[in-house]
């Protein structure tokens, strides 16, 4: 929970930046989709033309692959600004989190500890998105060279006043809290830059990079609270019950 002006200001700054980036990506996706549509039309005409320029036709496959790559990137960017309905089922968040950190350890030779009581209440989540969320937090801890990489899971009740100081908008009630703490000094560009699109990509398929943390929380009607004390950054992500 924010306890000082600096923390509240960090959340407000993140909220403003996120809204600005959503508007920017929405405009970019809209305009580039129009361009991609025109290019697709020209490629289709060239493909159907029996007397087309053979020198040009031999590049059709490469041109189509480049176009498809751009379209895939646009779809990922659209997920950054557009709330997407998610297929949520009642699941065990602790088991999902443990499975995600175990897989991350296998893939990246970096072990993260899950600190949570055994009686965490089941919660409605989109399982692949939540597992990805935990993997991204592992990636954050690894990138920040955290000497004590821990992801904590707790349950917490939040009121309107607390939520008003957070990054997003969500109703008062009970939440699953997912918390990590790491050194902000090890994060290139400042304590919140990693939340922007294309930052710290976890893999070649992760187009949005760590920026995907925000839409995952948003799509679950959750919330985010960032706290900075000296160089210690605490990320609190809330998923509602």
């Amino acid at each position: 929970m924010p306890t000082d002006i600096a923390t509240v200001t960090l959340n407000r700054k993140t909220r403003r930046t996120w809204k600005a980036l959503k508007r920017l990506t929405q405009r970019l996706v809209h305009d580039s989709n129009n361009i991609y549509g025109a290019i697709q039309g020209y490629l289709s005409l060239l493909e159907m033309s029996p007397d087309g320029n053979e020198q040009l036709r031999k590049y059709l496959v490469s041109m189509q692959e480049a176009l498809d790559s751009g379209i895939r990137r646009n779809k990922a960017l659209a997920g950054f600004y557009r709330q997407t309905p998610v297929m949520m089922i009642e699941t065990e968040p602790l088991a999902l989190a443990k499975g995600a950190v175990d897989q991350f350890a296998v893939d990246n030779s970096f072990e993260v500890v899950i600190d949570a009581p055994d009686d965490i209440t089941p919660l409605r989540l989109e399982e692949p998105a939540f597992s990805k969320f935990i993997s991204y937090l592992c990636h954050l801890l690894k990138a920040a060279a955290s000497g004590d990489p821990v992801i904590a899971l707790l349950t917490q009740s939040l009121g309107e006043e607390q939520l008003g100081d957070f990054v997003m908008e969500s109703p008062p009630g009970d939440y699953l809290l997912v918390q990590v703490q790491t050194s902000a000094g090890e994060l290139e560009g400042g304590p919140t830059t990693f939340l922007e699109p294309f930052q710290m990509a976890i893999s070649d398929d992760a187009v949005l990079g760590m920026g995907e943390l925000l839409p995952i929380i948003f799509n679950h009607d959750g919330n985010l609270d960032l706290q900075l004390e000296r160089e210690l950054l605490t990320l609190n992500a809330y998923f509602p019950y």
Side-chain angles (χ1 to χ4, degrees):
M1 179 180 71
T3 56
D4 54 44
I5 294 174
T7 296
V8 174
T9 301
L10 186 63
N11 281 339
R12 287 175 181 168
K13 178 183 177 182
T14 303
R15 183 190 309 157
R16 288 196 301 268
T17 301
W18 185 44
K19 287 182 177 180
L21 286 171
K22 285 200 293 184
R23 289 193 295 269
L24 176 63
T25 53
Q26 185 174 14
R27 181 62 184 267
L28 287 173
V29 168
H30 177 270
D31 291 351
S32 56
N33 273 343
N34 290 336
I35 296 170
Y36 290 156
I39 294 173
Q40 181 66 74
Y42 288 128
L43 287 178
S44 297
L45 287 173
L46 183 59
E47 199 169 29
M48 292 185 296
S49 176
D51 55 349
N53 187 311
E54 287 300 323
Q55 192 69 15
L56 184 60
R57 287 173 64 86
K58 69 180 182 179
Y59 293 104
L60 271 177
V61 173
S62 296
M63 287 189 288
Q64 186 65 56
E65 288 176 351
L67 178 62
D68 290 343
S69 175
I71 292 172
R72 284 196 302 273
R73 180 160 294 222
N74 265 13
K75 287 181 178 178
L77 276 173
F80 184 72
Y81 66 80
R82 181 187 300 146
Q83 188 167 26
T84 304
V86 292
M87 188 177 296
M88 295 190 292
I89 61 172
E90 186 166 296
T91 187
E92 299 284 348
L94 181 54
L96 283 177
K98 287 181 176 179
V101 299
D102 288 347
Q103 188 60 53
F104 190 88
V106 171
D107 296 339
N108 299 275
S109 301
F110 185 80
E111 295 187 1
V112 176
V113 175
I114 296 292
D115 181 15
D118 293 330
D119 59 349
I120 288 284
T121 306
L123 177 65
R124 286 178 58 80
L125 294 166
E126 184 183 46
E127 289 188 341
F130 186 75
S131 295
K132 183 186 291 186
F133 186 86
I134 298 297
S135 295
Y136 281 155
L137 295 185
C138 293
H139 186 56
L140 175 64
L141 291 167
K142 184 174 185 289
S146 177
D148 187 21
V150 176
I151 298 176
L153 271 61
L154 299 165
T155 54
Q156 186 172 340
S157 295
L158 297 174
E160 285 188 19
E161 186 174 352
Q162 292 169 291
L163 290 161
D165 290 330
F166 291 174
V167 173
M168 301 175 185
E169 296 180 1
S170 62
D174 295 331
Y175 286 80
L176 171 72
L177 165 61
V178 182
Q179 182 185 82
V180 295
Q181 292 185 316
T182 189
S183 171
E186 298 296 328
L187 299 175
E188 185 178 351
T192 62
T193 303
F194 70 93
L195 290 170
E196 298 173 9
F198 309 115
Q199 299 293 331
M200 292 170 57
I202 194 171
S203 68
D204 293 339
D205 297 328
V207 175
L208 286 179
M210 295 290 288
E212 197 167 354
L213 289 172
L214 290 170
I216 289 175
I217 298 171
F218 185 57
N219 288 336
H220 282 84
D221 296 317
N223 219 318
L224 176 66
D225 171 37
L226 298 169
Q227 300 179 26
L228 185 62
E229 185 176 351
R230 301 195 181 197
E231 290 215 342
L232 180 65
L233 176 68
T234 301
L235 183 150
N236 297 313
Y238 295 93
F239 294 85
Y241 278 96

